Amino acid sequence: MSYKIALAGNPNCGKTTLFNELTGSRQHVGNWPGVTVDKKEGGYRKNKEISILDLPGTYSLSPYSAEERIAREYLVKERPDVVIDIVDGTSMERNLYLTLQIAELGIPMVIAMNMMDEVESRGDRIDCEKLASLLGVPVVPIVARSNKGTQTLMEEVLKVAQSGQVPRELDIYEGELYAAIRENRLTEEQEEQVADLRYTYIGELVKQTVKKKQAVHAETKSDKIDKILTNRFLALPIFVVIMYLMFACTFSENFLFIPELPSPGVWLAGVVESLWGGLAEGVIGLVEGAGASGWIVELVTSCLDGIGAVFGFLPLVLVLFLLLSFLEDSGYMARVAFVMDRIFRHFGLSGRSFIPMLMGFGCSVPALMASRTLESDKDRKITMMITPFMSCGAKLPIYAMFAATLFAENNQTMIVFAIYMLGIVVAVIGALLLNKFAFQEGASNFIMELPQYRIPTLKSVLIHAWEKVRGFAVKAGTVIFASTVLIWFLSSFNFTGMCDMEESFLASIGNAIRWIFVPLGFGDWRASVGVVTGWIAKENIVSTFGQLFGGVSDEVIEAVSAGEQALPAITEVFTKVSAWSYMAFNLLCMPCFAAVGAIRREMGSWKWTLRAVGFQMATAYVVALLINIIGNLIF
Amino acid sequence: MTLRDLKPGQSGQVVSLGESGPLKRRIMDMGVTPGVQVKVIKVAPLGDPVEVHVRGYELSLRKEEASRIQVEPV
């Protein structure tokens, strides 16, 4: 007999920890359709017949957020055999609210009373048997993080699954209130009445089952930590240091300001790159040795490059998510929002948007994936749409090339600074416009829990980071691989066979689409080709120009990328104004395929991915057009 | 008097929520219902939002939202 079990509970109640303990590493993470909410499923470690679904963490089943809608619809429509309701024993009053709502649905359930170690260390006691008899459902004390009580929990779950025992009907509602609740058609007045009845009943339950050592709210260790971390004067400096460390650990080449010391992320990326480089060389050598013709060698090379492009991002994703899941699980992430809300609300965003946007200056791929830490579906989507406007490291060589070539007599640092600022300003305006016109669902609010600080378990942090790495490799990998190989094909072939880029399909495409860019000031086929090769990786624009404008050597391309040498030939096409327009266009237009893959992975739908890319393209076009028009009026 | 007027360290009993629609439901779902006792813990470093202790846990809300919740000081 196989059973469907669903885990339900408040955010921060230890639900995911329990899920990890029950399923081990055998879990599948996907997206609920159309929304940016994880759908996690797995089989019970000790009995494969039992499949477990981790519902999104919610405080209630009233359809307010995407998470609540999903949890409610799943419970009502899919009707799992048993719901395990995880209750945080240190915060029973609020947690039991969801418990009552699940009980009202009449689905067989078992309550897992979690964090019993903390309850005990506070000197409090919870009478689980009493609670069980009052609610008519088994209540099992557990400590999910150290896997205590989970065996008993699953034995109870199996018993309930076999007997189909449903919770006792609550006798707190009069008249037709109960029917109205079940049919989800409460009026506003009734809602207030019901919430009040539930909390009154919970008050009664808590009074009968919980014995507190101290009657008044005593200061916990968590409160003491919070006094420092969100202190009036210390909060912002601490925040800046933590953010700097997170960015530097992932991206810095001079870690902790020590010259030439790579950060863990950069170091690991280097290791992966050299391992892959060696492997790829070996494979190419084998193919050549087997006497394959030139184009097969080229094809193999491009395929290996395509896979290498995916691998190259994995270390960054891994390091960032080890840090992010630590911040998330420790409870600090909620404080990030608490501290930054004052600033970000003006853009219609959450304070947590700060993290993806900051990381965007390093690389959009992990930055986009970090958007998952935001509170609402809307915030996540908007943040993903604007995060690529933060100028990533790979775009710097483009600016360096133009600065050295066309702005040699200007302050080049200022040019680069100005383009970074442009990205930030456009992101802010973009967020405001998206909020106003594209996402009108409900005003934003900041009614959220500030959870207790807890030391995250190594297992949870590792599983989370691993999921992200695997998710990116699998879901984004195909997008990146396919598009890299496609662009390679277009740039090295024409109807007669293999050829130079100047005569390739891509050159023909560049010629065919260059009229689009005439209003922007760079209606040249080479500039158009640059935009396209930039989608493989933005820094490719420099090597493409090196090749198309006179065929310079790799050393020259490297020097141009670093801003140490000019590429005079591009002045045939670009003026100062059109150089600005071109830099802005490439900053804002569709990011590289790897980033699009990350958007696809996180959005969970092609529709939303295309919307995001469409928005970015339109923004790039409008901004570049404005720069070209206004620039030509002034100069 | 509203929740916004309470200083850190002060407690009050909620009289009415002053909201309507989904926002009101959200506030109630989070345990802020008429009759419940709340205690203001602190104000965020930039002056907003505020952190309150309610039903055994810490909740944060913006001053704008707090200013619509009527309380009776205790």
Side-chain angles (χ1 to χ4, degrees):
Chain A
M1 195 53 194
S2 65
Y3 295 110
K4 262 195 316 191
I5 312 291
L7 296 185
N10 285 189
N12 314 306
C13 72
K15 196 164 56 63
T16 303
T17 312
L18 178 63
F19 180 73
N20 289 340
E21 287 299 339
L22 294 179
T23 60
S25 53
R26 283 189 323 193
Q27 36 180 280
H28 172 79
V29 186
N31 259 37
W32 292 91
V35 283
T36 53
V37 179
D38 275 343
K39 182 179 190 179
K40 294 189 193 174
E41 288 168 289
Y44 179 38
R45 242 168 351 115
K46 296 180 181 163
N47 183 351
K48 283 179 194 161
E49 301 273 276
I50 300 179
S51 66
I52 302 172
L53 176 86
D54 190 16
L55 287 173
T58 61
Y59 296 104
S60 151
L61 291 182
S62 14
Y64 178 80
S65 64
E67 281 82 356
E68 286 163 0
R69 255 195 316 275
I70 289 166
R72 180 178 185 90
E73 271 178 28
Y74 181 83
L75 291 176
V76 172
K77 293 192 181 138
E78 304 282 324
R79 301 211 66 99
D81 294 302
V82 182
V83 184
I84 302 178
D85 172 40
I86 298 116
V87 170
D88 174 356
T90 64
S91 175
M92 257 178 63
E93 262 189 282
R94 197 203 58 230
N95 277 257
L96 285 178
Y97 191 78
L98 179 71
T99 309
L100 293 192
Q101 284 185 307
I102 299 171
E104 284 157 10
L105 294 175
I107 300 171
M109 75 190 280
V110 175
I111 293 174
M113 189 62 75
N114 195 14
M115 318 256 180
M116 287 305 280
D117 52 341
E118 270 181 61
V119 173
E120 274 161 33
S121 75
R122 286 182 190 184
D124 299 344
R125 293 186 61 180
I126 298 172
D127 189 343
C128 288
E129 276 168 35
K130 185 78 184 275
L131 187 65
S133 74
L134 288 168
L135 289 172
V137 296
V139 180
V140 183
I142 66 163
V143 183
R145 48 188 298 149
S146 51
N147 204 16
K148 272 187 203 137
T150 51
Q151 178 91 30
T152 325
L153 174 70
M154 289 311 284
E155 282 161 16
E156 288 296 330
V157 167
L158 207 57
K159 268 190 237 164
V160 171
Q162 281 155 356
S163 70
Q165 172 201 356
V166 294
R168 204 148 61 84
E169 197 155 316
L170 301 176
D171 47 11
I172 55 174
Y173 306 116
E174 285 174 358
E176 61 128 32
L177 263 186
Y178 214 145
I181 292 169
R182 285 199 165 168
E183 283 150 37
N184 198 20
R185 52 169 175 84
L186 291 170
T187 64
E188 206 173 307
E189 241 169 80
Q190 284 174 321
E191 260 173 13
E192 192 175 343
Q193 203 185 343
V194 166
D196 197 47
L197 285 169
R198 282 182 191 140
Y199 271 115
T200 313
Y201 182 54
I202 290 168
E204 192 57 38
L205 289 175
V206 171
K207 210 163 103 190
Q208 290 191 42
T209 57
V210 182
K211 286 220 164 48
K212 288 222 177 229
K213 193 178 169 195
Q214 282 153 305
V216 222
H217 169 61
E219 192 173 65
T220 60
K221 211 183 280 172
S222 171
D223 296 335
K224 283 176 198 150
I225 297 171
D226 200 49
K227 273 198 172 155
I228 301 167
L229 290 184
T230 60
N231 175 285
R232 237 200 149 118
F233 305 105
L234 293 177
L236 288 173
I238 291 174
F239 175 75
V240 169
V241 169
I242 291 179
M243 289 301 123
Y244 166 75
L245 282 176
M246 199 155 80
F247 187 88
C249 276
T250 318
F251 300 117
S252 177
E253 291 180 6
N254 303 306
F255 189 44
L256 303 175
F257 302 107
I258 301 167
E260 311 276 313
L261 176 72
S263 68
V266 171
W267 176 79
L268 207 57
V271 171
V272 170
E273 200 177 310
S274 62
L275 281 178
W276 182 256
L279 189 71
E281 226 166 83
V283 173
I284 293 166
L286 278 179
V287 174
E288 275 174 340
S293 56
W295 74 271
I296 291 184
V297 176
E298 290 282 326
L299 173 69
V300 172
T301 312
S302 94
C303 286
L304 290 169
D305 282 351
I307 303 167
V310 182
F311 276 136
F313 289 103
L314 298 183
L316 301 181
V317 174
L318 177 74
V319 172
L320 181 62
F321 275 90
L322 287 175
L323 300 169
L324 265 186
S325 26
F326 184 86
L327 285 190
E328 181 91 57
D329 293 355
S330 67
Y332 186 72
M333 200 64 90
R335 272 74 183 187
V336 170
F338 184 66
V339 170
M340 298 305 284
D341 176 66
R342 183 76 194 250
I343 299 171
F344 277 76
R345 77 169 70 151
H346 296 298
F347 320 137
L349 286 174
S350 145
R352 295 193 198 193
S353 308
F354 184 82
I355 291 174
M357 289 171 77
L358 174 72
M359 294 301 144
F361 289 117
C363 172
S364 296
V365 167
L368 286 159
M369 298 176 75
S371 67
R372 201 40 81 94
T373 60
L374 268 68
E375 300 92 333
S376 76
D377 186 53
K378 179 193 102 175
D379 288 355
R380 289 189 280 261
K381 282 177 175 154
I382 294 181
T383 304
M384 271 190 263
M385 290 168 111
I386 62 165
T387 292
F389 295 165
M390 304 291 117
S391 190
C392 75
K395 290 172 186 166
L396 196 55
I398 311 171
Y399 316 144
M401 170 179 71
F402 282 109
T405 308
L406 282 148
F407 300 94
E409 75 281 15
N410 301 76
N411 183 339
Q412 299 184 18
T413 315
M414 278 311 289
I415 301 281
V416 175
F417 180 72
I419 196 102
Y420 271 74
M421 285 311 293
L422 176 75
I424 298 172
V425 170
V426 171
V428 166
I429 297 173
L432 286 172
L433 292 177
L434 285 171
N435 250 303
K436 197 157 171 81
F437 299 109
F439 295 86
Q440 284 146 336
E441 35 171 305
S444 82
N445 70 77
F446 200 74
I447 302 160
M448 53 173 254
E449 182 191 4
L450 295 174
Q452 298 269 310
Y453 288 96
R454 291 194 172 97
I455 298 170
T457 60
L458 186 64
K459 191 171 179 178
S460 288
V461 169
L462 289 179
I463 286 184
H464 186 206
W466 169 242
E467 263 170 19
K468 280 292 181 183
V469 169
R470 200 180 59 169
F472 176 76
V474 176
K475 291 267 170 49
T478 42
V479 178
I480 301 167
F481 177 74
S483 38
T484 306
V485 173
L486 174 70
I487 300 290
W488 164 78
F489 172 76
L490 291 177
S491 65
S492 6
F493 280 87
N494 62 20
F495 287 112
T496 60
M498 260 192 108
C499 62
D500 284 337
M501 200 196 268
E502 288 87 331
E503 285 140 19
S504 67
F505 287 124
L506 194 58
S508 317
I509 294 172
N511 253 315
I513 61 167
R514 70 188 178 91
W515 60 270
I516 299 172
F517 300 115
V518 171
L520 309 187
F522 49 89
D524 179 86
W525 70 274
R526 288 163 291 191
S528 318
V529 168
V531 170
V532 176
T533 56
W535 289 333
I536 294 183
K538 293 280 172 171
E539 72 268 25
N540 279 0
I541 291 176
V542 178
S543 55
T544 302
F545 279 12
Q547 201 175 335
L548 297 182
F549 289 92
V552 297
S553 67
D554 287 354
E555 288 77 43
V556 175
I557 287 170
E558 211 163 287
V560 170
S561 299
E564 287 155 3
Q565 195 175 332
L567 194 62
I570 60 171
T571 51
E572 286 171 36
V573 172
F574 292 101
T575 62
K576 280 187 178 183
V577 171
S578 63
W580 265 104
S581 156
Y582 194 70
M583 286 191 285
F585 188 83
N586 282 295
L587 161 66
L588 303 170
C589 78
M590 181 170 92
C592 66
F593 292 126
V596 175
I599 295 178
R600 165 70 187 83
R601 159 76 188 89
E602 295 304 320
M603 287 286 193
S605 80
W606 275 112
K607 192 174 88 180
W608 274 102
T609 311
L610 292 177
R611 279 185 193 172
V613 170
F615 167 75
Q616 286 149 0
M617 285 298 205
T619 307
Y621 198 87
V622 170
V623 173
L625 182 66
L626 286 175
I627 288 176
N628 194 41
I629 292 172
I630 296 169
N632 281 318
L633 283 178
I634 299 173
F635 300 105
Chain B
M1 182 170 204
T2 71
L3 180 55
R4 186 186 179 150
D5 303 322
L6 293 179
K7 302 253 163 338
Q10 290 183 331
S11 298
Q13 192 169 29
V14 173
V15 179
S16 70
L17 299 179
E19 295 282 355
S20 64
L23 200 53
K24 178 180 183 180
R25 193 164 61 207
R26 172 77 174 170
I27 292 175
M28 290 192 302
D29 283 348
M30 296 304 283
V32 181
T33 52
V36 77
Q37 188 158 331
V38 293
K39 179 181 177 186
V40 176
I41 305 289
K42 69 161 111 50
V43 179
L46 297 174
D48 200 8
V50 291
E51 175 180 344
V52 300
H53 183 85
V54 59
R55 295 193 193 273
Y57 80 102
E58 269 66 51
L59 176 76
S60 82
L61 70 174
R62 287 181 185 152
K63 283 188 167 168
E64 192 196 333
E65 289 140 10
S67 70
R68 286 194 287 267
I69 299 175
Q70 296 288 326
V71 294
E72 190 90 29
V74 280

